[in-house]
Amino acid sequence: MTQRYAAFDIGTVTCRALVADASATEFETLYKGYGITNLGEGVDATGRLKPEAIDRVLAQIDEYLTVVEGLKDAEHPEIQVVAMATSAARDAENSQDLVGQLEARGVSLKVIPGSREAALTFLGASQAYQGESILVVDIGGGSTELVAGVGGREPQHSFSFNIGCRRVTEKFLSLDPPDAAQMAQAKEWMSAQFSTFFDELRQQGISVDKIVAVAGTATTVVSVREKMEVYDSSRVQGARVSAEDLQQVKSMFESVGLEERKAIVGLDPGRAPVIVAGMLILQTVLELAGKDCYYASESDILQGIILSEVAQG
């Protein structure tokens, strides 16, 4: 017998929701929601969430709660809501301001550590890769999680890096578009950190046959490559993206200013300010892993949150 769950993922750039009927053997998605709320705006520099950023998240959550209420029925009079916040809320000294305002709405928010974020992301993304040795890459606004393991099992090695598309943009890419020197400086900074992860994989004898990339940076490459005027998740799930595809889309983004970038078909205009950094992060990980492609995944931490709740009964 399935239960109905709602999962909210409050990230540095996006605020997303998933409502699904799930059990140990079944998973049926009823609703997926996504909004760019930029909770992490300025957090890297100030260590605080802006009041207007908190308000944007609250407005988005209010929309999701309305959807959840509408999905209650005689068979499911109550829906279990699980809300988690990641990098921006972890870093901000005033994240309790957000927690308190959500509590007043009946939503208990857990600000989770990077290790928990990595494990839940792997749980969600690896469902389609049972038995395969994979590296799951989750590029967020404030952090990037790298998680290696065999699909359907516990991760073998993971790390959450304070490297995200908003953080990198605010730290390095002040020009619009960024010049080669800024891009090189950003890449050198992140490569020094990411390379330790791959050194540790080799030392532990952990092999990676396939890279599975989740979240907006990775899926945007597919939607732009396919010139999707309307995003089609069925065409994105499992799509193979070559290193050449990634470079072509990255070049498209970094060669124009913000307003022209916003107009590129397949790119959510709200992602335009941080997408160049996202492309650079993804490309750097691919190079350090020594792989010539990745596979885009629509399943990520949201599915992982619900599957974790199912497992806990």
Side-chain angles (χ1 to χ4, degrees):
M1 169 130 181
T2 62
Q3 282 189 256
R4 189 158 293 176
Y5 298 89
F8 299 158
D9 169 35
I10 303 173
T12 302
V13 173
T14 61
C15 178
R16 303 179 306 134
L18 174 67
V19 182
D21 288 341
S23 69
T25 56
E26 297 177 69
F27 196 103
E28 181 185 0
T29 297
L30 303 177
Y31 170 81
K32 287 182 77 171
Y34 150 89
I36 292 181
T37 48
N38 285 315
L39 179 64
E41 182 182 6
V43 167
D44 189 59
T46 67
R48 293 184 62 81
L49 301 174
K50 292 183 176 181
E52 57 268 34
I54 292 175
D55 288 343
R56 289 193 296 265
V57 170
L58 294 173
Q60 187 66 69
I61 292 293
D62 285 342
E63 286 187 28
Y64 295 152
L65 289 173
T66 299
V67 171
V68 170
E69 195 63 31
L71 287 171
K72 291 179 179 178
D73 55 26
E75 192 176 346
H76 304 93
E78 296 297 327
I79 298 176
Q80 184 176 340
V81 175
V82 186
M84 296 190 180
T86 54
S87 179
R90 284 198 295 268
D91 293 348
E93 61 186 35
N94 64 330
S95 59
Q96 285 302 311
D97 293 352
L98 175 61
V99 172
Q101 293 196 62
L102 285 173
E103 194 72 53
R105 288 163 164 79
V107 176
S108 179
L109 178 66
K110 301 174 186 174
V111 180
I112 59 172
S115 57
R116 179 65 173 154
E117 182 180 0
L120 289 171
T121 297
F122 189 82
L123 178 60
S126 69
Q127 295 303 302
Y129 300 92
Q130 299 284 318
E132 297 186 59
S133 296
I134 61 173
L135 173 67
V136 174
V137 181
D138 180 7
I139 299 169
S143 67
T144 292
E145 282 66 49
L146 300 181
V147 198
V150 177
R153 303 180 195 169
E154 289 295 312
Q156 292 172 290
H157 188 58
S158 67
F159 197 83
S160 178
F161 294 86
N162 285 328
I163 300 171
C165 56
R166 174 162 289 282
R167 195 186 299 269
V168 170
T169 300
E170 293 182 358
K171 192 181 285 285
F172 294 103
L173 309 184
S174 59
L175 298 176
D176 180 35
D179 63 16
Q182 288 189 337
M183 294 288 281
Q185 186 182 14
K187 186 170 185 177
E188 182 180 8
W189 175 76
M190 66 178 73
S191 293
Q193 297 176 68
F194 285 144
S195 61
T196 61
F197 179 87
F198 293 99
D199 289 343
E200 288 164 359
L201 287 188
R202 285 186 285 271
Q203 290 167 9
Q204 295 177 36
I206 298 172
S207 63
V208 172
D209 297 330
K210 187 176 289 183
I211 291 183
V212 178
V214 306
T217 293
T219 58
T220 291
V221 181
V222 181
S223 61
V224 171
R225 182 186 69 182
E226 304 297 324
K227 297 181 172 59
M228 293 184 192
E229 294 189 8
V230 177
Y231 188 82
D232 184 350
S233 60
S234 66
R235 292 167 64 192
V236 174
Q237 174 61 31
R240 181 185 185 276
V241 179
S242 69
E244 292 77 15
D245 291 335
L246 176 58
Q247 176 58 46
Q248 187 174 4
V249 174
K250 175 173 168 283
S251 296
M252 194 186 308
F253 290 149
E254 66 188 358
S255 65
V256 298
L258 180 60
E259 291 310 312
E260 283 186 74
R261 202 179 302 132
K262 285 180 178 179
I264 293 174
V265 175
L267 172 65
D268 182 331
R271 287 195 183 276
V274 298
I275 196 63
V276 173
M279 296 287 114
L280 184 61
I281 295 168
L282 184 52
Q283 188 177 63
T284 302
V285 170
L286 209 61
E287 290 174 2
L288 289 171
K291 299 298 181 185
D292 63 358
C293 71
Y294 72 85
Y295 294 84
S297 175
E298 280 283 304
S299 296
D300 52 29
I301 191 172
L302 285 169
Q303 284 80 3
I305 289 169
I306 291 176
L307 290 168
S308 177
E309 291 297 315
V310 170
Q312 292 173 35

